[in-house]
Amino acid sequence: MATNWAAFAAAEPDLATTVEQRFRAFPHHVLATLRGDGSPRATGLEVRFLNGELWLGMMPGSLKALDLRRDPRFALQANPGPDTAMAGGDARIAGRAVEVEDPEVKGAYVKEVEPPQPFHLFRTELTEVVRTFVEDDTFLVVQVWKPGEPVRTLRRA
């Protein structure tokens, strides 16, 4: 089961706001894809939250785009920031990337983002969102959301 960003935000608005703020804090993040042989590939990426979707844009023919065309599964790690403070905690998103070919949809994206042309555009279908943070300098808190389930919160001392 997978869902888009808008459906996640409607189901869990507090967690969605926190995670989105974490991703908006810095422009560059880390995307993990699967190579043809099944091994992982980690690459840098900018993401956009626009019109209820989480978008991934890439240069034409980039290895990460070719990976996603072959196997749409991905994991996305928010940039941890310039130091060890990790304000807002750690945020990760997993799911599937669906390439967008529709000229109207791509045109609307271009109008908002003005990416270099040409480019690959993928919208995401979320299968998991995770936030990890330290609470009261005592507990490691992990919040896990999956489509159709409430947020599960784990606390470790």
Side-chain angles (χ1 to χ4, degrees):
M1 178 185 251
T3 190
N4 74 350
W5 187 262
F8 163 58
E12 296 294 342
D14 292 340
L15 180 58
T17 297
T18 301
V19 169
E20 185 171 338
Q21 287 173 343
R22 189 68 192 83
F23 274 92
R24 288 183 186 270
F26 299 96
H28 300 101
H29 308 287
V30 177
L31 176 72
T33 58
L34 295 169
R35 299 170 192 250
D37 66 3
S39 63
R41 181 190 316 272
T43 55
L45 179 77
E46 293 182 31
V47 302
R48 300 280 190 213
F49 295 87
L50 208 68
N51 302 322
E53 300 285 357
L54 170 58
W55 300 96
L56 311 175
M58 299 163 205
M59 291 175 26
S62 67
L63 294 176
K64 59 191 159 198
L66 299 177
D67 287 347
L68 291 172
R69 280 181 163 178
R70 183 179 49 260
D71 186 329
R73 293 175 293 172
F74 74 90
L76 184 62
Q77 174 81 41
N79 184 325
D83 54 32
T84 59
M86 289 186 59
D90 177 52
R92 299 181 305 276
I93 299 170
R96 290 186 298 276
V98 178
E99 189 161 17
V100 175
E101 301 286 352
D102 184 309
E104 283 186 40
V105 174
K106 281 186 93 169
Y109 182 87
V110 166
K111 199 173 195 179
E112 290 287 330
V113 178
E114 299 179 359
Q117 300 281 332
F119 68 104
H120 293 285
L121 180 63
F122 294 86
R123 69 173 179 76
T124 59
E125 295 178 346
L126 312 179
T127 57
E128 182 179 68
V129 177
V130 179
R131 177 180 179 233
T132 305
F133 63 98
V134 176
E135 181 178 74
D136 299 329
D137 291 325
T138 304
F139 299 101
L140 177 67
V141 180
V142 181
Q143 297 174 299
V144 180
W145 173 85
K146 294 181 179 184
E149 299 177 16
V151 171
R152 187 174 43 135
T153 301
L154 308 162
R155 282 185 171 74
R156 296 184 185 162

